[in-house]
Amino acid sequence: MAFDQVQLLDVSGPLEVFTTANRYGARYEVHVVSPDGLDVLTSCGLRMGVDARLEEIPQYLNTLLVPGRRDWRQAVADDALVALVEGLAARARRVTSVCAGAFVLAQAGILDRRSATTHWELAPQLAAAYPQVCVAADPVFVRDGHVVTSAGVTAGIDLALALVEEDHGADLARETARQLVVFMARPGGQSQFSVRLAPQPPQHPLVRQAMDEITADPSLPRGIEAFSGLLGISTRHLTRLFRQEIGMTPGQYADAVRVEAAQALLSSSTASVEEVAQRAGFGSSETMRRVLQQTLGVSPTVYRARFRTTTPLATSPVGLPPPSSP
C-alpha cells in the first residue's frame, strides 16, 4: 500500500527484500497500489509510481504491507485509505505494517486486542489513541496471529526478512540478507542505541577526555583510579562529574562500552567467546557472560545465534513461529 507522504523506506526497504529473495528462489509477485490508483508523493519529495490498479490485484493476497507517514493523524483521517486497508486485509493471509502504518491498522480495527509495535517515539501515542491495542514499545517486530507489526523505518527490512524466512526457510533469507549487506537479525530491541551517543553530550572537557579514552580501547585495564590520576583529579570528583554530565559512573560507562564492543565482535567476527571477552575488556568469558545476561538478557552464544535466524528477534508476548518449509 502507498499513499501521499508515505515514508519512502517503509515501502522500498521491504520491496528490496522481496525482490532480492526472488533471485535466490522465492516467487514473490509484488504490487504497489494506492487508494486512488495514482502515483504518490513520498515524505522525502520523491514521487513513487503505482504499478497496478486495485481491480488487477488478485482476490487472494498472501501479504498486505501498510507503511506509515510521519503525521499519522492525517493517515487515519483518510477514510478511503482506511477502508481500502480494511478490505484488502480481509483478503490477505497475513497483514503487516511498518512504523506508523500500525496506526492505520489500528484505525481499521485490525489491531483490536492484539499485541503490536511501532516506532519507539510513537508507541505512547499508539497506546493512548487506541487503548484496545497492547503496545510493546521495544521489539523490532511483533507477531500476533496473522498480523505482524514492525518498528520504525529500517525495521521494515527486518520484518520482510522474517517473512521470507517463514515462507522459504532460513538459508534463502540469509542469502537475501547477505546480498543486501544487512544483518539476518539485528540484536536486541529499539532501545539499544550506541553507548557513546546515548547520553547527553558531556560539556566538561575532562569527562569528554575520559569517555574518549574508554571508547578508544575498552580492553585496556584502567580503573577509575588510573583515569582520575591521568586527568589530575580525585576519583570522587571524577565520579561526580560523570554523574552530572551523563547520569552514570565511570565504571558503569566503561561496562556499557565493553558490552557494545562485545556485541559488535560477537555479531561480526568468528572469534571465540573467550577471545571476544578479552578484546572487549571483560577479562574472562564468564565475566562477559554474566554481564551480558544482566544487561541484554541473553548469553554470548545466544546473542551470536541471533545472526543465524530472524526468529529469536520476536521478543514480543506472542513470538514468531518456527520457519515453515519452503
Side-chain angles (χ1 to χ4, degrees):
M1 176 61 63
F3 47 90
D4 279 335
Q5 294 305 307
V6 68
Q7 293 196 121
L8 177 63
L9 196 55
D10 285 10
V11 181
S12 62
L15 283 179
E16 285 292 342
V17 171
F18 294 132
T19 55
T20 301
N22 284 345
R23 296 170 56 180
Y24 298 99
R27 297 176 301 278
Y28 292 109
E29 182 181 340
V30 183
H31 297 287
V32 179
V33 298
S34 65
D36 56 9
L38 302 177
D39 294 350
V40 301
L41 188 65
T42 66
S43 61
C44 67
L46 186 67
R47 187 164 295 278
M48 179 185 299
V50 172
D51 65 358
R53 296 177 177 272
L54 290 173
E55 55 268 23
E56 297 172 344
I57 300 299
Q59 181 62 33
Y60 174 78
L61 306 177
N62 182 60
T63 304
L64 171 65
L65 191 147
V66 180
R69 58 176 291 177
R70 292 191 178 96
D71 187 354
W72 60 265
R73 291 176 179 83
Q74 290 293 323
V76 301
D78 187 336
D79 293 337
L81 171 63
V82 175
L84 181 57
V85 168
E86 186 176 4
L88 292 177
R91 296 158 49 182
R93 179 175 71 89
R94 62 189 174 199
V95 179
T96 70
S97 68
V98 180
C99 197
F103 287 87
V104 179
L105 296 188
Q107 183 68 21
I110 297 168
L111 298 184
D112 288 356
R113 296 176 297 279
R114 293 187 185 275
S115 296
T117 193
T118 185
H119 190 287
W120 61 269
E121 193 173 33
L122 299 177
Q125 299 176 40
L126 181 63
Y130 301 95
Q132 66 274 34
V133 180
C134 180
V135 180
D138 192 50
V140 175
F141 57 82
V142 170
R143 178 164 192 160
D144 191 333
H146 74 292
V147 180
V148 193
T149 52
S150 74
V153 198
T154 60
I157 296 175
D158 299 75
L159 166 67
L161 283 170
L163 299 180
V164 170
E165 181 181 359
E166 181 183 334
D167 294 339
H168 298 284
D171 289 343
L172 193 148
R174 191 175 301 113
E175 287 299 315
T176 302
R178 290 180 60 189
Q179 179 63 35
L180 294 174
V181 198
V182 296
F183 289 128
M184 178 69 162
R186 75 176 72 193
Q190 297 188 66
S191 61
Q192 293 193 354
F193 299 104
S194 170
V195 174
R196 190 62 172 88
L197 297 178
Q200 290 295 322
Q203 301 300 313
H204 200 289
L206 292 180
V207 176
R208 290 200 301 270
Q209 182 180 345
M211 291 174 69
D212 290 340
E213 290 283 342
I214 294 170
T215 53
D217 189 354
S219 68
L220 292 179
R222 296 171 296 196
I224 184 172
E225 292 82 6
F227 272 114
S228 58
L230 177 67
L231 300 173
I233 59 177
S234 68
T235 58
R236 178 179 297 181
H237 186 41
L238 180 60
T239 300
R240 185 184 304 114
L241 287 176
F242 259 75
R243 287 191 181 280
Q244 290 175 348
E245 293 283 323
I246 65 172
M248 61 179 75
T249 67
Q252 290 171 332
Y253 180 77
D255 283 345
V257 170
R258 292 187 182 108
V259 168
E260 188 174 78
Q263 289 177 276
L265 290 167
L266 288 169
S267 62
S268 62
S269 77
T270 58
S272 68
V273 172
E274 188 64 39
E275 289 174 323
V276 169
Q278 293 293 332
R279 291 166 60 183
F282 286 105
S284 71
S285 59
E286 176 56 30
T287 300
M288 183 175 70
R289 185 200 65 77
R290 184 171 62 253
V291 173
L292 262 63
Q293 192 71 49
Q294 291 172 347
T295 56
L296 303 180
V298 295
S299 68
T301 53
V302 171
Y303 182 90
R304 173 170 273 172
R306 292 188 173 191
F307 288 84
R308 312 299 184 193
T309 174
T310 63
T311 303
L313 265 186
T315 55
S316 63
V318 183
L320 279 171
S324 59
S325 300

